[in-house]
Amino acid sequence: MAPRKLAAGNWKMNGDLAALAEIDALVADYPAPGCEVLICPPALLIHPAKARAGDAIAIGGQDCHADASGAHTGDIAAAQLRDAGATHVILGHSERRADHGETDATVAAKAAAAHAAGLVAIICVGETEAQRDAGETLAVIAAQLDGSIPDGATAANTVIAYEPVWAIGTGRTPTTDQIAEVHALMRERLEGKVADAAGVRLLYGGSVKPANAAEIFAIPHVDGALVGGASLKAADFGPIIAALAEA
Ligand code: PGA
């Protein structure tokens, strides 16, 4: 069976309590969205977001610590995300890898912690522009997948997001052929590493917007999107959800 499609919004360090009105708008406009919808707001907003999201929209975190609890000032454990109402957590986003020095091993440890807490881990991979220009894209993605996916990963507890670093927040996107090439590689690479590899959702992320969503969702092995800027407003995220439901 084809994987259930997933439209995931990553609010990053944007939004406040007033911004939860965007979730209300999505719930009102898409009571039965036709695909899975997830919003990952800043951690402080997870609990109130869940109270507003109802059953139509899932809520997730943007990071968690690899340990279950302990002396880690400022960090959040996977079980705490879960307790607040999250069902998913984004891990290894390129902004975390760049700003916080997260390595593939860090990401794998965090994903294992997420799984242990009953969260779905959305593991992000992606090449820099210099790596693409050097012809290293497929090797980089393969190595990140190999290093970032923990033992015990399954189609039920793991989603992979391909996010070229140079496409994030820039308005630039790869060609459909470039996305197709990476997604085909990812599907192949998951065989033997993840139980039910064919069922793992593979998201594309990086400057997805209403105008390019349908074209991206038509690409083989693209099972949804991880959306940053265009997830902040229901007026933008809504049409992306609708395009995915129709794909
Ligand atoms: P963007 O961000 O949609 O604003 O490019 C995507 C992401 O970083 O997840």
Side-chain angles (χ1 to χ4, degrees):
M1 205 176 85
R4 184 154 190 247
K5 293 174 188 284
L6 172 62
N10 174 11
W11 281 13
K12 309 190 180 184
M13 200 171 69
N14 298 295
D16 53 15
L17 288 169
L20 298 179
E22 299 299 328
I23 294 180
D24 299 340
L26 284 176
V27 169
D29 292 348
Y30 301 90
C35 60
E36 195 174 346
V37 179
L38 168 70
I39 291 180
C40 300
L44 283 171
L45 297 178
I46 288 173
H47 193 254
K50 187 61 210 162
R52 313 264 286 253
D55 293 335
I57 297 177
I59 302 296
Q62 300 175 10
D63 178 48
C64 70
H65 198 277
D67 288 353
S69 65
H72 301 292
T73 302
D75 280 316
I76 299 177
Q80 293 172 320
L81 294 176
R82 175 87 197 210
D83 186 51
T87 47
H88 298 64
V89 60
I90 298 168
L91 294 171
H93 190 283
S94 61
E95 289 153 12
R96 302 257 353 144
R97 291 178 186 259
D99 297 353
H100 299 272
E102 294 192 4
T103 64
D104 291 339
T106 318
V107 177
K110 290 182 172 199
H115 292 161
L119 296 177
V120 175
I122 300 177
I123 297 174
C124 303
V125 297
E127 82 286 2
T128 63
E129 186 157 36
Q131 288 166 333
R132 177 162 284 280
D133 290 347
E136 295 167 2
T137 298
L138 297 183
V140 166
I141 302 302
Q144 288 180 335
L145 288 176
D146 291 352
S148 305
I149 299 175
D151 292 344
T154 69
N157 68 18
T158 302
V159 173
I160 306 295
Y162 168 52
E163 298 208 306
V165 177
W166 52 274
I168 294 174
T170 59
R172 297 167 59 206
T173 52
T175 64
T176 52
D177 283 352
Q178 287 171 330
I179 296 174
E181 182 183 38
V182 172
H183 278 242
L185 167 100
M186 295 201 298
R187 182 72 72 205
E188 197 184 300
R189 199 82 185 179
L190 294 177
E191 287 293 343
K193 184 151 183 68
V194 180
D196 186 19
V200 175
R201 270 88 59 86
L202 304 181
L203 311 184
Y204 168 77
S207 297
V208 175
K209 42 187 185 277
N212 61 20
E215 188 184 10
I216 290 169
F217 296 148
I219 299 169
H221 301 296
V222 173
D223 306 307
L226 181 54
V227 184
S231 72
L232 295 172
K233 295 283 173 214
D236 295 323
F237 199 35
I240 294 171
I241 293 168
L244 183 59
E246 282 165 23

